[in-house]
Amino acid sequence: METLNRSLDWLYFGVITPFFRGIGWLLSLVFIRPLAWMHTPIWLHVALLGTLTAVFSLQIRRLLGVDEKVAKFNAMFAEKRRRQKNLQFIPDKYSREALYRVTDDELNNDFNTYLANHYARYVTVYLLPVFLILAWLNTVFSDSFLRHVVGIPYAIGVPANRFDIQGLTVTAVFLLSYIVSLMVGFFVKRKTTENATK
């Protein structure tokens, strides 16, 4: 057991931690320093990273062929449902009911498999990039860093108000930018597809 613990410690501290530190250093070199040299406001910095992450998510979605897989499943499912409806023409009641049960089980199994794969793709496309980038961003723009640079632990400060909201956090600005960028991306894609089919 002690050997296993030592191996896991080595894996975490010797491989995983240095790997993520290296990725963080590279991301900072490419995305943080150039904008810092241009004196970009922190909120705009975070918003730009949210937009870039949304573009990255849309590219992953395209590479994984999510739309094609959804269309393929819908066509296959509709065809199986159509064939199932033809079972009503079987004259023997017991044979008809047995075949309905078998086809229902098959459709349920297909749908459950599709849902599992669909949600796994969505985790890969959306949640994983957001989680990893936010984990990194919250170390780069930590509360102590924001207090030192901006004077408050928020990316955007707001005037005094009755809701006692003092500002928008790095996470809030990032997610707002990410979601708006995804919405714009899907809108542009839909318009492009509509124009291509005309």
Side-chain angles (χ1 to χ4, degrees):
M1 188 66 176
E2 191 175 331
T3 306
L4 177 64
N5 284 338
R6 272 201 301 266
S7 300
L8 292 175
D9 284 346
W10 173 83
L11 181 66
Y12 180 76
F13 293 110
V15 178
I16 295 173
T17 301
F19 172 75
F20 279 105
R21 280 192 183 145
I23 294 292
W25 177 83
L26 185 63
L27 288 172
S28 294
L29 185 67
V30 174
F31 295 112
I32 301 296
R33 289 184 188 167
L35 292 173
W37 288 333
M38 292 187 290
H39 302 289
T40 308
I42 289 174
W43 68 267
L44 182 57
H45 209 138
V46 173
L48 287 171
L49 287 168
T51 300
L52 287 173
T53 306
V55 170
F56 181 68
S57 289
L58 291 171
Q59 289 304 312
I60 293 175
R61 179 185 172 91
R62 187 178 63 77
L63 285 173
L64 291 179
V66 171
D67 294 331
E68 293 82 3
K69 287 175 182 169
V70 169
K72 182 179 176 184
F73 172 79
N74 287 340
M76 182 267 298
F77 196 78
E79 175 59 23
K80 285 189 175 182
R81 291 288 290 175
R82 188 190 64 73
R83 279 189 270 146
Q84 187 187 45
K85 286 179 183 174
N86 292 336
L87 295 177
Q88 65 184 324
F89 300 116
I90 296 175
D92 183 50
K93 175 185 173 185
Y94 299 108
S95 298
R96 187 172 61 241
E97 287 177 355
L99 285 171
Y100 263 123
R101 274 195 303 275
V102 169
T103 55
D104 267 346
D105 289 344
E106 184 182 344
L107 286 170
N108 285 337
N109 186 43
D110 288 347
F111 189 69
N112 289 336
T113 303
Y114 164 76
L115 276 183
N117 292 333
H118 192 64
Y119 285 119
R121 283 191 295 270
Y122 270 69
V123 166
T124 305
V125 169
Y126 302 111
L127 294 182
L128 195 59
V130 165
F131 173 76
L132 292 174
I133 294 294
L134 275 178
W136 167 67
L137 263 184
N138 282 307
T139 59
V140 173
F141 298 124
S142 61
D143 283 357
S144 58
F145 175 83
L146 291 172
R147 283 181 198 278
H148 177 71
V149 174
V150 186
I152 53 172
Y154 300 103
I156 302 175
V158 297
N161 55 71
R162 62 184 178 146
F163 301 109
D164 200 29
I165 297 172
Q166 297 175 353
L168 294 176
T169 62
V170 167
T171 301
V173 173
F174 176 86
L175 289 176
L176 182 63
S177 170
Y178 179 78
I179 291 167
V180 169
S181 299
L182 281 180
M183 290 169 64
V184 169
F186 282 121
F187 177 78
V188 168
K189 182 181 175 191
R190 192 181 72 203
K191 285 295 181 187
T192 305
T193 305
E194 286 173 3
N195 291 337
T197 55
K198 285 181 181 176

